[in-house]
Amino acid sequence: MAKEYGHYDDAAREYVITDPCTPWPWINYLGTEDFFGLISNTAGGYSFCKDAKFRRITRYRYNGVPMDAGGRYFYIKDGDTVWNPGWKPCKTPLDFYECRHGMNYTSIEGRKDGVTAKVLFFVPLMTWAEVQKLTLTNTTDKVKKLKLFSFQEWCLWNASTDMENFQRNFSTGEVEIEGSVIYHKTEYKERRNHYAYYSVNATVQGFDSDRESFLGLYNGFDAPQAVLEGKPRNSVAHGWSPIASHYLEIELKPGESRDLVFVLGYVENAQDDKWESKGVINKRMARETLSRLDTAAKVDAEFKRLCQYWDNLLQIFSVKSADERLDRTVNIWNQYQCMITFCFSRSASFFESGIGRGMGFRDSNQDLIGFVHQIPERARERIIDIASTQFADGGCYHQYQPLTKRGNDGIGGGFNDDPMWLIFGVCGYLRETGDFSILDEPVPFDNVPGSEKSLFEHLTISFDHVINNLGPHGLPLIGRADWNDCMNLNCFSNDPDESFQTTENKTEGSKAESLMIAGLFVFSGRDYVELCRHLGRNAEADRAQKYIDEMVVSVEKYGWDGEWFLRAYDYFGRKVGSKENEEGQIFIESNGWCTMAGIGLKEGLCDKALDSVKEHLDSEHGIVLNNPAFTRYYIEYGEISSYPAGYKENAGIFCHNNPWVIIGETVRGNGKAAMEYWRKICPAYIKDQTLHKVEPYVYSQMVAGKDAFRPGEGKNSWLTGTAAWNWYTITQFILGIKPTYNGLEIDPCISPDMKEYKVTRKFRGATYEIEIKNPNGATHGIKSISVNGKEITGNLIPLFEEDSFVKITAIL
Ligand code: BGC
């Protein structure tokens, strides 16, 4: 059996890491609203409030040596031995180590020479602070005298300039120290109205706030001079690199335990309320937060609230089947990952620096379908934010910055799939909530006041953006790129200093068209038509349907390559993703979307396309993006051909778009194939954790494909549309519980060996307990269905009143 570094504890909803030397830092996320933290299994990581770039609280070094240096460290000096509960940074061998990553909390426990140190990290609900509750226990029969040092390093707020502008930074750092609280107030005296603080609920015997004094200039985090000598320097930082370290002398009798509460917090003051007196920051709000968290009992109560919050979120959808891996994916980790992706989009992970990317337009719309059932109000707000960055012609800013909610000029627009994702996201929201009032909300263009049109009109112009931008084959022009950011058909770059995604060296007369957008247009265009009909806007529905029918004809006529759907036409109007091509003959995106949309289903095109996917793209670890992989740079394709074969968009297994094929398989009723594909990429089924490398409890964006040097190696874990797409796929298309405007549709498509399962689903205020029985080993097609004991015709469970309990039995 392959080596395992940990295991699931489903009852506690935790992943338990038992070996600190994981093949890559295995991280978790703290915080649900504004204050966030990333924490690795050895307590590495960083914190920020609201915006990972502009309001970075603690410093982090990316891609450092050794990996994952810097974080929330506690140093325990017991005689001559110095150790950390999370093993790092000292790496003193521990007698016991365990890290439990749970729902927005992490607890790390280390034991050494009869002392147990357990730290619980979490961000209490509605609080701008991270709590670190440290419990020290003496398990020996002798008195233990310990020296404890805490440690955090402040980031000078802007995570980007913090790493580059040293001629300024090394002179700006400022702190204030009052009792057991170290305040970080760099730049507060000028334009900032925020500061951070780090406290402990006990009297300290010393402190440090200057990094060099604490560490010694030539030492690393693994050997701070102050700790090694057991003597704090009581340093006050002036410029250079401010830190926060408390020093406590702790005596523990045999068997005694002591709790200490450390709080890392953030405050914003009103402009006219910034100061207590000249040069002294106004600490009122920090004190208020600290008074809410100054005892272990108060902290425990907050922790309970957080756990209850998660109980409630996870009650909305749960499944019980014979397969515990399926259950834990659906009931715990997939939903959790969707929520994290909602909070962070693609900004801050161990693969995203938090300074590079804002929120993606298409990304955020796709993420919506993963969390709308849990936090519909926030989904509503997100939709309005996203739609407000749309341009009047229906095009969209590709990204926006969460702090300002404005589109990012650096990237701009021109990604021609973006508009359709708004329809996709909004319809997902409406089906879940039935909140049609959102369609009347006035929403501006490019955030310009006075330009508002209703959200419904935004959907119309989104739809029209596609039909106003058709190419010579009647297929959608691709613009800078479609879903595949790296398929840059108008880029033509020979200059390594140009960005593939923002450069368009040839656009004039471009014939570059996308079959992926065509499939998306048919699929989500039908959503638009259905919505119009539901609203009684029949003329608009008819108008839209006509364009969809025309698109289907164009795809069948110009988008079919004989055995599969083409991927695109390039700038010159030549086929991409055709057997005529030298490399990149078949792609996942167009075959996924066109089969999802059922284009040519009756004529057998979907069957052929899916069989071709199986033959050419399937592999042991999942479906690769294209085949054969590109082995040289194609200037007419751009970034996709820049990657080595088997990585990222060049024939990597993009876990994000595997679900498109899986849904395609459900369209043709092949539940066996659908579930086989789903299991291949689902983390709960990973066989070799060392090979997979990244966290085994969440999806990663990419797993190296069959042409790669190390097929099966995962990268870019956590922040990926993969979470939402797999959630959508497993719950709606495989388990088959689909929210619709008029009720819940029951339409499973499963493996024939799945004999029964039960889903509990809260929907529009009522609770539905749905039992699916499959006595004859079918894959799809409900034979009979009863609602509260009464047979119904069809498979739509109508809406029930709030608080009703509805029992459904469906037989396949
Ligand atoms: C981006 C997506 C994009 C995908 C494929 C991801 O990194 O966030 O917007 O669709 O890559 O290129």
Side-chain angles (χ1 to χ4, degrees), residues 423 455-465 467 521 525-548:
I423 297 180
L455 181 65
F456 183 82
E457 283 169 275
H458 279 257
L459 301 188
T460 310
I461 62 160
S462 294
F463 184 88
D464 287 355
H465 189 268
I467 56 183
F521 177 76
R526 285 193 192 124
D527 284 350
Y528 178 66
V529 169
E530 185 195 13
L531 175 63
C532 292
R533 297 233 183 272
H534 188 80
L535 299 172
R537 296 178 184 242
N538 288 320
E540 176 60 3
D542 292 343
R543 182 187 78 96
Q545 186 61 50
K546 188 180 117 281
Y547 287 113
I548 293 170

Side-chain angles (χ1 to χ4, degrees), residues 616-659:
H616 301 284
L617 300 180
D618 187 26
S619 77
E620 187 190 343
H621 302 283
I623 308 166
V624 300
L625 196 142
N626 56 291
N627 187 260
F630 297 109
T631 56
R632 64 172 177 86
Y633 177 52
Y634 291 73
I635 191 171
E636 67 275 32
Y637 296 167
E639 187 170 0
I640 188 168
S641 61
S642 73
Y643 288 110
Y647 293 102
K648 293 280 286 174
E649 280 86 343
N650 184 14
I653 297 158
F654 241 78
C655 299
H656 184 137
N657 53 28
N658 275 235

Side-chain angles (χ1 to χ4, degrees), residues 346 352 357 362-363 366 398 417 482-486 501 648-649 654 656 701 716 719:
R346 306 294 174 273
E352 305 275 8
R357 288 216 260 181
R362 78 160 81 89
D363 295 344
Q366 292 172 79
H398 196 48
D417 63 318
D482 58 22
W483 168 85
N484 190 335
D485 274 339
C486 302
Q501 281 168 39
K648 293 280 286 174
E649 280 86 343
F654 241 78
H656 184 137
Q701 178 210 51
N716 300 13
L719 303 184

Side-chain angles (χ1 to χ4, degrees), residues 559-571:
W560 182 247
D561 195 51
E563 302 290 323
W564 56 77
F565 293 98
L566 289 175
R567 173 63 178 88
Y569 282 95
D570 71 7
Y571 173 86

Side-chain angles (χ1 to χ4, degrees), residues 670-692:
N670 191 348
K672 187 162 181 285
M675 285 200 87
E676 270 167 20
Y677 281 139
W678 176 78
R679 283 193 207 107
K680 278 190 184 180
I681 55 163
C682 177
Y685 298 84
I686 288 166
K687 289 193 207 87
D688 185 342
Q689 295 188 341
T690 311
L691 170 66
H692 186 73

Side-chain angles (χ1 to χ4, degrees), residues 768-781:
Y768 298 80
E769 200 182 275
I770 307 157
E771 225 180 321
I772 311 277
K773 296 194 169 157
N774 184 19
N776 303 316
T779 54
H780 67 289

